[in-house]
Amino acid sequence: MRYSNDGFLGLFALTIISIFILGSSTSSYTFRVGGKDGWVINPSEDYIHWPQRNRFHVNDSLYFKYKKGSDSVLVVNKDDYDSCNSNNPIQKMDEGDSLFTLDKPGPFFFISGNLENCQSGQKLIVVVLADTHEHSQSPSQPEAEAPIANWPSGPNSPVASPPKHSGSTSVRGLRVALVSLSVLVLRTWGGFALQQVGLV
């Protein structure tokens, strides 16, 4: 009898610990703009298709890899994006290897500070999805490259482009599954344990 109670308590404790660990998980990612090529004129995947295959959420970050003095990244409005106007940027990043945090839902417009580069296609639109709290989104297919755990991870270390993600929706879904499992364990093993000690 003692063995079945210990098994029940161990499984229940493991389930509760898993829920707390998942609850503390972060759902923000750092995306490397331009993939392995970085912020260049002709990346291996162009700046039109790259953002279309990713889902961006509030508090995600964009990592622009470029050499200081050879290029810059400007955050601009839509009109300045369309015309490659670098005269009135909302924000200018020109220190090389820049990190930009997506702090609100909606579109963000980025252009190269070099007019010729911008006119050659070195510009990017990223649309940040609104936080849906507990509303589910359809999960996306994982890709081969993983999200960045820490930025930067070391001198000259590569930064991977993260997979498309649906924010913390997958974490929430896993939490729901673990809670359901806990309820099932409590009903099954809890009832059995109560029968064993003569309370039912």
Side-chain angles (χ1 to χ4, degrees):
M1 281 193 273
R2 176 101 174 117
Y3 177 75
S4 64
N5 285 340
D6 289 343
F8 162 73
L9 292 175
L11 185 58
F12 181 73
L14 179 63
T15 303
I16 296 301
I17 290 169
S18 298
I19 290 170
F20 283 115
I21 289 172
L22 288 172
S24 66
S25 297
T26 180
S27 62
S28 63
Y29 290 91
T30 299
F31 293 84
R32 182 172 178 165
V33 176
K36 62 181 168 80
D37 300 320
W39 183 240
V40 297
I41 295 175
N42 294 310
S44 57
E45 184 174 10
D46 67 56
Y47 297 118
I48 294 172
H49 293 102
W50 180 79
Q52 292 174 355
R53 71 173 176 83
N54 291 293
R55 291 184 184 174
F56 303 95
H57 296 271
V58 174
N59 294 323
D60 284 347
S61 298
L62 301 178
Y63 171 65
F64 293 88
K65 181 164 183 59
Y66 61 97
K67 291 183 181 178
K68 180 179 179 177
S70 66
D71 205 347
S72 62
V73 182
L74 306 180
V75 182
V76 296
N77 62 37
K78 183 179 182 336
D79 291 336
D80 289 343
Y81 171 87
D82 291 337
S83 64
C84 287
N85 180 5
S86 61
N87 295 328
N88 301 309
I90 296 166
Q91 182 176 344
K92 182 176 184 177
M93 297 175 279
D94 60 359
E95 295 297 315
D97 297 1
S98 300
L99 191 66
F100 181 84
T101 301
L102 302 166
D103 60 355
K104 63 185 179 195
F108 286 84
F109 302 92
F110 302 91
I111 63 172
S112 170
N114 179 318
L115 178 61
E116 290 176 13
N117 290 3
C118 181
Q119 290 173 338
S120 295
Q122 191 179 357
K123 55 186 189 174
L124 171 71
I125 301 173
V126 169
V127 178
V128 178
L129 300 173
D131 184 13
T132 58
H133 299 289
E134 295 300 320
H135 300 294
S136 65
Q137 299 173 1
S138 60
S140 58
Q141 296 294 329
E143 295 179 9
E145 298 179 29
I148 300 169
N150 295 311
W151 182 84
S153 56
N156 302 322
S157 62
V159 181
S161 297
K164 296 182 274 188
H165 67 88
S166 56
S168 58
T169 302
S170 59
V171 171
R172 289 184 193 117
L174 196 49
R175 274 191 226 148
V176 169
L178 286 173
V179 169
S180 299
L181 177 63
S182 297
V183 170
L184 179 64
V185 166
L186 282 173
R187 284 185 178 170
T188 305
W189 286 23
F192 176 74
L194 291 175
Q195 285 177 347
Q196 296 296 321
V197 294
L199 294 176
V200 176

